[in-house]
Amino acid sequence: MTLMTPPPLDQQQQPQPQPQPQPQPQQEDDEMLVPNTDLLEGPQPMEVAQAETTSTVEAQAVDDPPSARFTWTIDNFSRLNIKKLYSDVFLVGGYKWRILVFPKGNNVDHLSMYLDVADSTNLPYGWSRYAQFSLSVINQIHNKYSIRKETQHQFNARESDWGFTSFMPLGELYDPGRGYLVNDTCIVEADVAVRRVVDYWSHDSKKETGFVGLKNQGATCYMNSLLQTLYHIPYFRKNVYHMPTTENDMPTGSIPLALQSLFYKLQYSDTSVATKELTKSFGWDTYDSFMQHDVQELNRVLSEKLEDKMKGTVVEGTIQQLFEGHHMNYIECINVDYKSTRKESFYDLQLDVKGCRDVYASFDKYVEVERLEGDNKYHAERYGLQDARKGVLFIDFPPVLQLQLKRFEYDFMRDTMVKINDRYEFPLELDLDRENGKYLSPDADKTVRNLYILHSVLVHSGGVHGGHYYAYIRPTLSDQWFKFDDERVTKEDVKRALEEQYGGEEELPPANPGFNNSPFKFTKYSNAYMLVYIRESDKEKIICNVDEKDIAEHLRIRLKKEQEEKEQKRKEKAEAHLYTIIKVARNEDLIEQIGRDIYFDLVDHDKVHSFRIQKQISFNLFKEEVAKELGIPVQFQRFWLWAKRQNHTYRPNRPLTPQEEAQSVGQLREVSNKANNAELKLFLEVELGQDLQPVPPPERTKEDILLFFKLYDPSKEELRYVGRLFVKGSGKPVEILPKLNEMAGFSADEEIELYEEIKFEPTIMCERIDKKVTFRASQLEDGDIVCFQKSPQVGSSDQCRYPDVPSFLDYVHNRQVVRFRSLEKPKEDEFCLELSKLHDYDDVVERVAQHLGLDDPSKIRLTSHNCYSQQPKPQPIKYRGVEHLSDMLVHYNQTSDILYYEVLDIPLPELQGLKTLKVAFHHSTKDEVVIHTIRLPKQSTVGDVINDLKTKVELSHPNAELRLLEVFYHKIYKIFPLSEKIENINDQYWTLRAEEVPEEEKNLGPHDRLIHVYHFMKDTAQNQVQNFGEPFFLVIREGETLAEVKERIQKKLQVPDEEFSKWKFAFLSLGRPDYLQDSDIVSSRFQRRDVYGAWEQYLGLEHTDNAPKRSYAANQNRHTFEKPVKIYN
């Protein structure tokens, strides 16, 4: 799988070229920047919906600007019954563009959206253009919740559109309460800035800079930038070289050897270096390599692995010596003499970006003293609750200081990760002793001077859902910086490495300054993400000399040999046009291969003897080479050309003429090979005499036909090659039967049946030969294959599975060994079954049930394999939903041999007619929630769900009424009507909650109001409200004060007085709290009955969340779609 990573935003450089687009795997948890590949299911008409759409372009100039915003309003959006939809064409930078959307997703359950070159089919050959752009879906209720994603791309004929297959979940887009569809209208925006293009391929990194880059395996630029940074810390590189490895180790199984090998190649190679050996040594499967991980996470895991591998060796402790620092967490009481301290180590420091202008501000925040007082007093041993100060100070900093900048944060309101692109400065020299050592603890060694020099800047370009990483490094700490961007290394000035990576906004100058137009501002999505500083006093030790003597001899020999082989291959490739590869098949190859490696045709040409011959050499000289190599004198050799027939079989066609043999090898290849590849395929005919020694080939007339013979044994289910014969066209098969019996080892009068093997793709064609008709009348010609077998005995009791040649060839052609895995253990093969590709759905599940000892095959449910992600596909195979086994195994243009199975508790056809819902039942008096799985026919209603639930739950009284609610992120969005069909209810994104309807709600007076009540906290850093806990409804009566309402709420929630006294109460509308006093009349705030989105107006209970933290809190600095980085070895 090739995962496309957008190149960095860089006006002076052309971005990284993209790999050839390949079919896109359906990954639900993974956002990929990809060209739109919707034609994978076969070409589709480029239909465009006639939806009512309007569009506007806001540009800097009346003429054609280098940057502009295009707004597209799409009406009747949910009623668009079409796969894809194009916007009007708009002009930016002299080029025509348009937006392409897939309203129901491009084979995913997300909105898919791309920027498209509108006139790509009419542009001249070799065109390309580069643009930085963002695509947005506007939130029409609350603009700040608009979803915007940005990237940049080099557009060309192969990739004329680029964007986001998983732009946003369809569930969010089509939910009317979310604000993305209002009055069934969707508003889409594109901000496009066209950039200058520079030739990418002509750059020789080694020649220009003295350094080489690393190849990108897919989305491994995050790893490449980190590896370059570590490589350019020479003391680290030297210690990696000194890790003990042996010549018996394999790089793919040993992290130390793979890293040594990679560093050696970076040091001595002239071209970019591959990282596959290293990722294989991590134990990563190919899918992992294409998952973009977090640099910081990889850095930590790799450091821990190396530290572990260095234990007990001469380099033990290197990681700690270089990267480990210590800080002290302290709590100090103000009024009593009590202090608690805890020393902790760190390999890197996470610094806040939001709210900090530079690194110093982040360090100030890091050591900021927090006061523990009031409700938050510290419980000190022997002294009880005390006012205290809490903070962190540094005991020591490491020689190499790695600073991780927190560019990614969790946005509670949007329930997603966001990238912080704010301006954030960092100095070339970082003085951590400043202001009398304000960052240092009293125990710090004051003789150490903590002055640091910037060594490298790791940059992330793009958004939270993916992007591109590269690094600016100055390897010797001189003034010369270098940019390491995958395979490309360039010299850069300090401004590019520093100021341009601060982030913030970039102002593009107006295209026509004479016009009254505002400057076009673009957020800079390329900014520093990780900084590496080296301590001034340690730089001589760290920037040390590393040469060949640091590299183990076995490693030098191994890598030099590898280098020589690579050089030899390169040389061969460079000289390939001077040579022809001649592949010579012989009788021995046919005997060796038929019935083992191959069954159809005669030979696998990749497994025969091959010669690399200069094109200008005469063919007769080549024959001498064959005589030398194969021991067959020239006068006994006769060569036949192979020909590809119309039915796709490949057979010897005719012998070479003496005139052809006098030609050069190159001329002969051109005559024989219309496909014009570099190979010449030949069959060498050698006749053997009585003593099995070669004899001159027999004279051949036009009447002679060369036939090849295979023998089939039904009892052994075995096919083998037994030889070839020249027959006369006017002769009949009956005349050669004794000869065939002799070749087979049968008695001379054995009855045999003959079949011609005609073709095998797409289906087998194998026809019986009439023994009494001439070979010519049976249309047999040179190179044809005759299969024969003993005639089946009439009335014989021996039953063979495949009694004749056609049935056996059919079996071989369609047989398929399938590896079955349990869906619960998707990485482990559990058992294998030999099946036929023609087996239908029932045949396959019957064989699986039989193997598992299961009586009812309909309880087996199968799931196909995704060849790209190496995981099960998200949707199982429907009951009899595919015709044949071959359909179950195909994934786009690849075929797998893996199927996943699960055993259901009810038959699959029955299950498919049912809808399964997970419902959380909240008990009315007990503080408990029980999840129930409800399975009902799809046409059932919510009323049916409630009736089913009543039989499973404990009610407060037999006549209790239940209702079903839709809850999402601690807000109630809907009470389901009893008549609503359950087929369309989605419990994937929302929680379905069932509860008893309180008595007070059943008898609402004319002036009573039912309001939403939610718990909330204020997130001061984000200046946002964060909901938590269980939302509920409350009846408020006319004239009721907050004090009265509070009393009822306390009783309902059973909160102790002491805790309840700390709670605050507010009326919230669209996220803004308006705090209430006890005397306020609550109902007066909830007057409007036509509020769009009732869930956005609620009574808020502000207090601390005492429940256990949600899982995302522990992981706020990781992209939500990522798998954690694991190195398995």
Side-chain angles (χ1 to χ4, degrees), residues 48 93 99-100 146 154 219 229 236 350 386 433 459 557 565 599 627 682-683 698 710 996 1079 1113 1127:
V48 179
I99 303 170
L100 165 62
S146 296
Q154 176 85 27
T229 305
F236 177 81
Q350 285 194 60
Q386 292 290 331
D433 288 334
V459 176
I557 292 166
E565 285 171 3
Y599 289 88
L682 299 172
F683 175 70
K710 298 178 185 178
E996 289 187 20
S1079 56
I1127 296 179

Side-chain angles (χ1 to χ4, degrees), residues 323-390:
F323 303 113
E324 188 177 49
H326 298 88
H327 48 51
M328 177 185 80
N329 292 296
Y330 68 86
I331 298 177
E332 188 175 22
C333 293
I334 295 168
N335 303 317
V336 295
D337 183 16
Y338 182 84
K339 187 174 185 177
S340 162
T341 61
R342 189 176 74 254
K343 180 180 176 178
E344 286 184 358
S345 66
F346 62 85
Y347 284 169
D348 56 24
L349 291 173
Q350 285 194 60
L351 299 184
D352 282 327
V353 170
K354 197 161 184 65
C356 298
R357 69 177 299 274
D358 60 11
V359 172
Y360 287 122
S362 296
F363 268 100
D364 291 346
K365 194 170 175 183
Y366 207 98
V367 301
E368 210 167 56
V369 178
E370 182 188 349
R371 299 212 28 140
L372 304 177
E373 55 193 10
D375 298 339
N376 201 18
K377 285 185 178 181
Y378 174 62
H379 191 282
E381 275 181 55
R382 304 194 309 278
Y383 297 104
L385 291 172
Q386 292 290 331
D387 290 346
R389 280 187 291 267
K390 178 185 175 186

Side-chain angles (χ1 to χ4, degrees), residues 726-888:
F726 280 105
V727 298
K728 300 290 181 193
S730 56
K732 295 176 182 176
V734 71
E735 295 157 13
I736 62 164
L737 295 184
K739 182 64 184 165
L740 293 183
N741 279 330
E742 184 190 328
M743 288 161 71
F746 297 161
S747 60
D749 57 352
E750 182 70 56
E751 280 288 319
I752 56 176
E753 300 294 329
L754 276 58
Y755 299 86
E756 184 192 356
E757 180 193 313
I758 299 168
K759 66 167 190 163
F760 56 92
E761 286 297 348
T763 53
I764 297 290
M765 193 168 175
C766 180
E767 293 180 353
R768 188 188 294 270
I769 297 171
D770 188 333
K771 290 178 275 195
K772 298 191 175 92
V773 173
T774 65
F775 290 107
R776 190 171 291 116
S778 293
Q779 295 183 335
L780 289 164
E781 56 186 68
D782 282 324
D784 276 345
I785 298 169
V786 175
C787 301
F788 67 99
Q789 66 176 90
K790 286 183 183 179
S791 298
Q793 298 298 310
V794 181
S796 165
S797 60
D798 292 343
Q799 281 299 308
C800 300
R801 285 202 308 169
Y802 308 107
D804 55 25
V805 172
S807 62
F808 175 73
L809 290 180
D810 252 334
Y811 153 69
V812 170
H813 182 62
N814 291 307
R815 74 175 162 191
Q816 172 75 56
V817 175
V818 179
R819 294 184 283 152
F820 283 91
R821 299 174 174 182
S822 164
L823 195 62
E824 290 170 4
K825 295 179 183 169
K827 289 278 182 195
E828 299 169 25
D829 290 348
E830 191 174 310
F831 58 90
C832 294
L833 295 178
E834 186 186 282
L835 305 169
S836 165
K837 290 174 194 164
L838 300 179
H839 274 161
D840 63 18
Y841 178 90
D842 288 354
D843 295 330
V844 177
V845 292
E846 260 168 46
R847 288 292 306 278
V848 174
Q850 197 180 329
H851 179 86
L852 296 172
L854 193 69
D855 294 336
D856 186 353
S858 69
K859 287 187 179 175
I860 298 287
R861 180 160 66 177
L862 301 173
T863 301
S864 294
H865 180 68
N866 181 323
C867 299
Y868 299 101
S869 67
Q870 297 295 312
Q871 290 182 334
K873 287 188 185 176
Q875 297 302 323
I877 297 168
K878 289 197 168 141
Y879 179 71
R880 293 181 179 164
V882 292
E883 217 160 311
H884 296 116
L885 173 65
S886 52
D887 304 316
M888 297 180 190

Side-chain angles (χ1 to χ4, degrees), residues 579-593:
Y579 289 84
T580 290
I581 303 293
I582 304 181
K583 293 187 169 176
V584 177
R586 298 179 294 154
N587 228 42
E588 290 85 340
D589 297 309
L590 276 59
I591 292 166
E592 175 67 28
Q593 293 186 23

Side-chain angles (χ1 to χ4, degrees), residues 675-700:
N676 205 24
N677 61 28
E679 292 181 353
L680 173 60
K681 297 187 177 104
L682 299 172
F683 175 70
L684 173 55
E685 177 201 343
V686 180
E687 282 302 319
L688 299 179
Q690 295 298 321
D691 55 358
L692 298 180
Q693 289 303 307
V695 295
E699 282 298 314
R700 180 177 172 276

Side-chain angles (χ1 to χ4, degrees), residues 698-711:
E699 282 298 314
R700 180 177 172 276
T701 66
K702 284 190 174 178
E703 180 69 4
D704 289 321
I705 300 170
L706 177 63
L707 297 178
F708 293 83
F709 293 89
K710 298 178 185 178
L711 173 67

